[in-house]
């Protein structure tokens, strides 16, 4: 029996289906966790957000979102060290676009990870769903949940932009398609789960960087971006001018009318920044240049149109093959998560899952994730399933650059 189609995937969503990409939002908790209440909360979350229970099916002319299966995958519970990678996770986009995985480490240590398919998730929606999951859990652990009203299935960014009069520019047809990294996504399963290498700054260094950003009148994200570029140039023994820095920009608050957190799937624009400077540039200099390009791109509409530049008929995946490319995503600060008495959330980090990469990991660009939890900033880098030692080198160089920058004041 053929499943009921919700809608075809838009061009902005297709790469994540081809590569079977899921984003994992991992919360670390200590104390008493009620597994039955968490399962109830996850069921409520999928009722609230139909996209999390939907599936993706490959059709002759592309991919479609289809209605959920009659039986949705249950929450998975396993035992093992909190630090271990979830190598036993098996995520299939033909089964569901989300999965909740709970790992129990001893009597009272837990890792609760919500995996959400990237075609229906960006950092804003992902973190909102994590916050909603914990709100449902707290309510369920203390009593019964009220009726959950489902939201409409979210729209692609193409429809959101078109409704606001933003169209694909005529010159976009002259832009050649960018080659992307090849993955083995033929079976629609994310069989490779990765926990990125992580640099978790101390609260003291985080505070020092915030003070530095205010004095220099450059955003904290700009400072971190400048440090990433300096670290990459040093690690690769390359000039700054030879690097290309690409990152997404959340468009929700930058469109008129604004876009609600529930309205779209991947509501992002993109910026490609080519630094103009050599080794003498500071993280503040680089950050200002990045911030200025973002402002100018938003004012001119280039950033808003960037999601419309994917050529029709493109077969590309997520990761572009561009020499000396560096990519990063700023997730911002994780919202305050509700918990019942007796359970404390003490950390948060990302997880990534995708189809296996067919290309050599040495050829893949580093992908950084910047986020804050509590009073500490974290910077993570995806090692694409290999080269752990080089990612540790990246983190060491990056921390040195950040510490030297604030100590030079």
């Amino acid at each position: 029996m053929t499943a009921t189609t919700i809608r075809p995937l838009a061009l902005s969503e297709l790469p994540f289906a081809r590569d079977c990409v899921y984003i994992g939002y991992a919360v670390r908790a200590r104390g008493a966790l009620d597994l039955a209440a968490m399962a109830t909360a996850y069921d409520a979350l999928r009722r609230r957000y139909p996209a999390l229970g939907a599936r993706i099916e490959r059709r002759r002319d592309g991919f479609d979102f289809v209605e959920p299966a009659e039986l949705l995958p249950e929450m998975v519970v396993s035992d093992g060290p909190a630090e271990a990678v979830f190598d036993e996770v098996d995520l299939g986009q033909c089964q569901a676009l989300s999965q909740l995985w709970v790992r129990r480490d001893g009597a009272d240590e837990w890792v609760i990870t919500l995996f959400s398919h990237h075609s229906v998730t960006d950092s804003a929606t992902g973190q909102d769903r994590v916050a909603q999951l914990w709100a449902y859990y707290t309510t369920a652990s203390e009593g019964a949940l009220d009726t959950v009203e489902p939201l409409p299935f979210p729209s692609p960014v193409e429809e959101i932009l078109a409704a606001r009069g933003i169209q694909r520019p005529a010159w976009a047809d002259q832009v050649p398609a960018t080659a992307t990294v090849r993955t083995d996504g033929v079976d629609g399963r994310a069989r490779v789960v990765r926990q990125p290498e992580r640099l978790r700054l101390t609260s003291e260094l985080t505070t020092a960087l915030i003070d530095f950003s205010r004095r220099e009148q450059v955003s904290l994200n700009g400072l971190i971006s400048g440090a990433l570029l300096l670290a990459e140039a040093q690690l690769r023994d390359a000039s700054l001018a030879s690097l290309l820095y690409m990152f997404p920009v959340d468009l929700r608050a930058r469109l008129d009318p604004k876009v609600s957190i529930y309205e779209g799937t991947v509501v992002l624009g993109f910026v490609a920044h080519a630094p103009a400077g050599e080794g003498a540039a500071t993280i503040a200099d680089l950050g200002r240049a990045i911030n200025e390009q973002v402002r100018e791109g938003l004012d001119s509409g280039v950033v808003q149109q960037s999601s419309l530049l994917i050529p029709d008929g493109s077969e590309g995946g997520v990761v572009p093959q561009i020499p000396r490319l560096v990519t990063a995503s700023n997730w911002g600060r994780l919202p305050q998560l509700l918990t019942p008495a007796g359970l404390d959330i003490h950390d948060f980090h990302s997880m990534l899952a995708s189809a296996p990469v067919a290309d050599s990991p040495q050829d893949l660009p580093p992908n950084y994730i910047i986020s804050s939890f509590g009073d500490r900033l974290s910077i993570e880098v995806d090692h694409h399933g290999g080269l752990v030692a080089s990612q540790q080198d990246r983190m060491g160089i990056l921390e040195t650059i950040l510490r030297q920058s604030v100590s030079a004041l």
Side-chain angles (χ1 to χ4, degrees):
M1 182 177 177
T2 303
T4 302
T5 298
I6 298 172
R7 66 169 173 83
L9 272 71
L11 286 174
S12 61
E13 301 160 338
L14 278 171
F16 306 113
R18 294 192 184 100
D19 291 351
C20 311
V21 181
Y22 287 77
I23 306 174
Y25 300 86
V27 171
R28 297 199 175 192
R30 182 178 297 115
L33 184 75
D34 185 334
L35 292 173
M38 184 59 75
T40 298
Y42 181 42
D43 287 343
L45 188 75
R46 289 185 293 193
R47 290 197 303 273
R48 178 65 171 164
Y49 301 96
L52 296 182
R55 298 172 289 155
I56 292 176
E57 286 192 358
R58 184 188 288 269
R59 301 287 166 84
R60 180 176 300 177
D61 56 349
F63 292 85
D64 286 347
F65 290 118
V66 300
E67 293 288 348
E70 186 174 342
L71 293 177
L72 290 171
E74 295 181 352
M75 178 183 80
V76 179
V77 181
S78 66
D79 291 284
E83 299 292 338
V85 175
F86 287 62
D87 54 5
E88 70 272 38
V89 169
D90 185 16
L91 299 163
Q93 61 190 28
C94 55
Q95 293 177 320
L97 300 186
S98 72
Q99 178 67 70
L100 184 65
W101 198 286
V102 178
R103 172 170 283 169
R104 178 171 42 205
D105 183 1
D108 63 352
E109 289 286 342
W110 307 85
V111 183
I112 303 94
T113 305
L114 177 64
F115 288 98
S116 183
H117 201 281
H118 206 338
S119 65
V120 294
T121 308
D122 55 25
S123 62
T125 54
Q127 293 193 44
D128 177 76
R129 291 165 187 166
V130 171
Q132 188 65 69
L133 174 70
W134 283 93
Y136 285 150
Y137 169 74
T138 299
T139 301
S141 66
E142 296 173 345
L145 275 173
D146 293 332
T147 302
V148 175
E149 295 295 333
L151 292 163
F153 198 91
S155 302
V157 68
E158 290 90 338
E159 290 185 10
I160 290 170
L161 294 175
R164 290 157 176 80
I166 300 174
Q167 304 293 332
R168 177 181 168 87
W171 52 263
D173 294 331
Q174 309 302 317
V175 178
T178 301
T180 59
V181 172
R182 296 175 297 118
T183 59
D184 178 15
V186 65
D187 62 356
R189 307 195 74 82
R191 289 174 276 133
V192 178
V193 180
R194 308 183 298 279
Q195 182 169 319
E197 191 66 30
R198 184 185 188 201
L199 171 62
R200 191 182 187 198
L201 305 185
T202 64
S203 57
E204 292 79 13
L205 182 53
T206 300
T207 299
L209 284 167
I210 293 171
D211 291 343
F212 182 34
S213 73
R214 289 170 178 162
R215 274 195 299 270
E216 294 292 326
Q217 296 185 328
V218 58
S219 71
L220 181 59
N221 185 60
L223 289 181
I224 300 301
S225 297
L228 295 181
L229 286 169
L230 288 177
E232 287 296 324
Q234 181 176 333
L235 184 72
R236 304 179 191 208
D237 192 23
S239 67
L240 280 169
S242 71
L243 302 178
L244 181 65
Y245 184 55
M246 293 183 64
F247 55 94
V249 176
D250 188 348
L251 296 179
R252 286 178 177 81
R254 296 176 167 96
L255 296 174
D256 185 18
K258 295 180 180 180
V259 183
S260 78
I261 197 74
Y262 315 112
E263 196 173 340
T265 52
V266 186
V267 189
L268 302 174
F270 296 88
V271 174
H273 177 76
E278 296 302 325
T282 67
I283 65 173
D285 296 333
L286 294 167
R288 284 192 198 93
I290 291 168
N291 289 349
E292 183 60 26
Q293 183 173 344
V294 172
R295 282 192 292 269
E296 291 177 354
L298 289 169
D299 289 344
S300 67
V302 170
V303 173
Q304 292 88 331
Q305 290 179 315
S306 59
S307 288
L308 305 176
L309 301 184
I310 302 173
D312 288 331
S314 171
E315 295 294 326
V318 176
V319 183
Q321 286 184 319
I322 299 175
R324 298 194 172 178
L325 174 66
V326 182
T327 64
S329 295
N330 180 11
W331 286 10
R333 180 179 296 277
L334 184 72
Q336 184 71 36
L337 303 180
L338 293 176
T339 55
L343 186 67
D344 174 57
I345 293 175
H346 60 86
D347 199 5
F348 166 80
H349 61 82
S350 72
M351 298 281 283
L352 298 166
S354 67
V357 173
D359 293 302
S360 168
Q362 287 90 332
D363 301 328
L364 305 185
N367 178 48
Y368 290 93
I369 295 174
I370 305 163
S371 65
S372 295
F373 176 76
D375 60 355
R376 299 176 68 176
L377 183 76
S378 285
I379 304 165
E380 301 171 88
V381 61
D382 181 17
H383 50 71
H384 297 286
L387 302 178
V388 175
S390 70
Q391 309 314 320
Q392 292 172 341
D393 290 342
R394 275 187 166 89
M395 295 291 98
I397 293 170
L398 180 59
E399 183 174 14
T400 298
I401 289 171
L402 291 172
R403 290 191 176 279
Q404 289 177 342
S405 297
V406 296
S407 65
L409 296 176

